[in-house]
Amino acid sequence: MERQVRVGPVDVAYAVEGNGPALLLIHGTGGSYETNWSEMVGALSSQYTIITPNYSGSGNTVDHREKFELDDLVEQNVQAVLNEGIEQFHVVGYSLGAVIAAAIAAKYPDRVKSASLIAGWAESDLATAYQFDLWQKLFKTDRTLFAQFVIHTGFSQAFYRHFQNTEQLQQLAKEFTTTLAEGTDRQSELDSRIHIRPLLSSITAPTLVIGLTHDRMVPVEHTKELASLIKGAIYREINSGHLVPLEQGETLIGEITHFLSTVS
């Protein structure tokens, strides 16, 4: 059953499932806990109490503000955990969620037991800002076109072996469109101005950073740099495009499961 916690002007929707040490999962831009984490929740809920918030603009978390700020998304995720009476937790973040997770680990070192950062980055350069400006414009203009572009840039070439023609891919884009968060454009705008570099030296929890070899949204060089800026971070790489929960979900779960087994 979905729950809510009030954080500032926003009622943050989140779900809790499982038993064991607390594990916070933070989704990526345009996603939600339902779309990004269903397989991982299914795989890990027998070992962990999993908290999966939807931050501003995703799922039933409605935020009418014109701009989203990273600090607000950090607090939304942390307060969802604290609302359950949980004081310490592991955190896993994907894409923008990885940025949020890193910021949480830096700001709450006494609460975070470990951090797993998937396809994250430390700072949005000009190319990144330009990309996310395009995302905003496509999303506002035609969501099916936006979905088609995300699919085109989000998977490795190997993923296309699952399809026989462009019609099948167009159908995938239509289905993808129905899952897009209403706040995708404002989340993308936040993506364009990420700057967490000054925070990273404050992370003390054991940290796993996962790069994606064929990532065209967050180039793997950016994720490698993120790892290099976190003292003692372990770097692993998955042979996938950016949409790794869809392309290499089992491999991703395996990497997270193995890392958590070493720090729990």
Side-chain angles (χ1 to χ4, degrees), residues 152 154-163 214 216 240-241 247:
H152 172 60
F155 293 112
S156 71
Q157 287 296 315
F159 180 80
Y160 287 90
R161 296 172 189 159
H162 299 292
F163 301 89
H214 305 289
R216 289 194 281 169
S240 175
E247 184 171 349

Side-chain angles (χ1 to χ4, degrees), residues 80-108:
V81 179
L82 297 183
N83 197 51
E84 294 299 309
I86 295 168
E87 296 295 327
Q88 292 186 312
F89 52 90
H90 302 277
V91 59
V92 177
Y94 165 57
S95 195
L96 175 56
V99 174
I100 298 169
I104 291 173
K107 292 185 176 186
Y108 293 95

Side-chain angles (χ1 to χ4, degrees), residues 67-87:
K67 269 190 166 185
F68 297 155
E69 299 297 339
L70 181 63
D71 285 345
D72 292 335
L73 306 191
V74 165
E75 290 308 312
Q76 289 173 15
N77 282 276
V78 171
Q79 292 305 316
V81 179
L82 297 183
N83 197 51
E84 294 299 309
I86 295 168
E87 296 295 327

Side-chain angles (χ1 to χ4, degrees), residues 2-18:
E2 191 167 84
R3 308 176 188 184
Q4 287 191 336
V5 59
R6 187 77 172 179
V7 184
V10 180
D11 290 317
V12 179
Y14 68 97
V16 181
E17 188 170 337

Side-chain angles (χ1 to χ4, degrees), residues 32-261:
S32 65
Y33 69 72
E34 298 94 335
T35 59
N36 282 180
W37 298 126
S38 59
E39 288 187 8
M40 190 167 293
V41 170
L44 298 182
S45 58
S46 63
Q47 304 169 61
Y48 298 92
T49 298
I50 302 178
I51 303 96
T52 50
N54 281 332
Y55 52 74
S56 286
S58 286
N60 291 322
T61 301
V62 179
D63 188 339
H64 296 292
R65 290 175 290 185
E66 292 184 5
K67 269 190 166 185
F68 297 155
E69 299 297 339
L70 181 63
D71 285 345
D72 292 335
L73 306 191
V74 165
E75 290 308 312
Q76 289 173 15
N77 282 276
V78 171
Q79 292 305 316
V81 179
L82 297 183
N83 197 51
E84 294 299 309
I86 295 168
E87 296 295 327
Q88 292 186 312
F89 52 90
H90 302 277
V91 59
V92 177
Y94 165 57
S95 195
L96 175 56
V99 174
I100 298 169
I104 291 173
K107 292 185 176 186
Y108 293 95
D110 294 335
R111 296 195 183 279
V112 175
K113 297 169 72 174
S114 77
S116 300
L117 314 177
I118 308 157
W121 70 106
E123 184 174 357
S124 296
D125 59 12
L126 180 60
T128 302
Y130 190 60
Q131 171 186 236
F132 287 118
D133 179 69
L134 176 59
W135 276 34
Q136 294 171 67
K137 290 172 180 174
L138 283 174
F139 184 79
K140 291 176 181 178
T141 302
D142 187 319
R143 293 188 183 185
T144 302
L145 281 180
F146 172 81
Q148 184 174 349
F149 181 73
V150 168
I151 288 168
H152 172 60
T153 57
F155 293 112
S156 71
Q157 287 296 315
F159 180 80
Y160 287 90
R161 296 172 189 159
H162 299 292
F163 301 89
Q164 295 179 331
N165 51 54
T166 57
E167 286 75 15
Q168 290 179 329
L169 288 166
Q170 295 289 10
Q171 182 58 39
L172 177 63
K174 289 179 181 179
E175 294 169 0
F176 194 83
T177 301
T178 65
T179 71
L180 292 171
E182 285 300 314
T184 295
D185 52 342
R186 287 170 290 162
Q187 293 170 2
S188 300
E189 191 280 328
L190 174 58
D191 286 327
S192 72
R193 50 188 173 87
I194 292 300
H195 181 57
I196 61 167
R197 192 182 298 273
L199 297 177
L200 298 176
S201 61
S202 298
I203 296 176
T204 56
T207 301
L208 170 68
V209 178
I210 297 178
L212 306 172
T213 307
H214 305 289
D215 198 333
R216 289 194 281 169
M217 296 177 182
V218 180
V220 71
E221 291 78 15
H222 291 346
T223 308
K224 288 179 178 178
E225 180 194 31
L226 176 66
S228 74
L229 295 171
I230 300 172
K231 186 176 180 179
I234 298 168
Y235 178 78
R236 298 281 292 169
E237 194 164 309
I238 296 176
N239 189 29
S240 175
H242 188 77
L243 301 178
V244 64
L246 297 175
E247 184 171 349
Q248 292 284 358
E250 289 187 9
T251 302
L252 177 62
I253 291 168
E255 292 284 359
I256 298 299
T257 301
H258 175 72
F259 175 67
L260 289 174
S261 72

